[in-house]
Amino acid sequence: MSWRIIRLSLALFIFYMLLTMDFSAPGVAIGLSLSLAVSYFSVRVLYDVAASAEEVRIPGPLRLVSYLLFLLLSIYRASFRYMLHVIRNDEEPAALRIRLHTANPFIVSLIANSVTLTPGTITLSTKGDELTVLCIKGDLGYESLRAEITEGFERQLTGRIK
């Protein structure tokens, strides 16, 4: 069993345990076996077996937990901002192209899903390191919305400083 499968299994097992909060022996056994099975069958999706492409790097558990907290805070803030736009009737939809500073497909898909979870925005498509996002402008300018995604979500996941 490769180190990649073990690392992925451990990450999935921790996530499973956090979701179920079932620390009984059968719960742990089921979580461990599911994590190993999913890791074994999906390792070829996440990693290039020929090693010709850049390896997909999954952020560490602490970075993912801090990202989850950041995402929850972002969803909370955006929901109130979106409610104000609806009340004021000042919605102005726009489709933006946002180029990320990373081409890691795991991080790009995580950011795309996070954008979709945030009220007032939805990811229409991804291509390489570029997202197409449908958003409500409101009182923020388009550059502010771009910065929220690149300097918010991406910085939290990659640790990249401007």
Side-chain angles (χ1 to χ4, degrees):
M1 189 174 298
S2 75
W3 177 244
R4 291 176 176 169
I5 294 174
I6 293 171
R7 281 185 51 207
L8 185 58
S9 296
L10 182 61
L12 288 175
F13 178 69
I14 291 170
F15 185 67
Y16 176 84
M17 295 308 292
L18 288 173
L19 285 177
T20 63
M21 295 302 273
D22 180 12
F23 298 103
S24 66
V28 170
I30 289 170
L32 196 58
S33 60
L34 284 175
S35 300
L36 285 169
V38 168
S39 299
Y40 179 77
F41 290 112
S42 66
V43 74
R44 290 189 189 126
V45 173
L46 291 174
Y47 302 105
D48 182 16
V49 289
S52 61
E54 179 182 322
E55 182 177 318
V56 174
R57 305 292 299 178
I58 298 174
L62 291 176
R63 188 170 299 278
L64 288 175
V65 168
S66 78
Y67 181 74
L68 177 65
L69 295 174
F70 177 79
L71 176 62
L72 292 173
L73 181 66
S74 297
I75 291 171
Y76 186 74
R77 284 188 328 208
S79 64
F80 283 106
R81 189 174 12 176
Y82 187 66
M83 282 190 296
L84 287 174
H85 295 313
V86 170
I87 291 169
R88 291 188 210 145
N89 197 22
D90 67 349
E91 305 95 16
E92 185 182 328
L96 300 177
R97 289 182 187 254
I98 300 169
R99 184 163 302 273
L100 301 173
H101 297 94
T102 182
N104 183 333
F106 181 81
I107 292 177
V108 171
S109 66
L110 196 57
I111 291 171
N113 287 318
S114 299
V115 166
T116 301
L117 284 172
T118 307
T121 58
I122 188 166
T123 303
L124 298 175
S125 69
T126 62
K127 185 175 181 181
D129 63 347
E130 186 176 270
L131 302 176
T132 304
V133 176
L134 179 66
C135 60
I136 303 298
K137 179 184 173 191
D139 54 352
L140 291 178
Y142 296 123
E143 290 307 314
S144 297
L145 289 168
R146 277 190 180 96
E148 267 188 27
I149 293 170
T150 58
E151 301 304 323
F153 294 131
E154 185 177 10
R155 183 177 48 84
Q156 286 291 324
L157 280 171
T158 62
R160 180 189 61 80
I161 300 172
K162 285 190 179 183

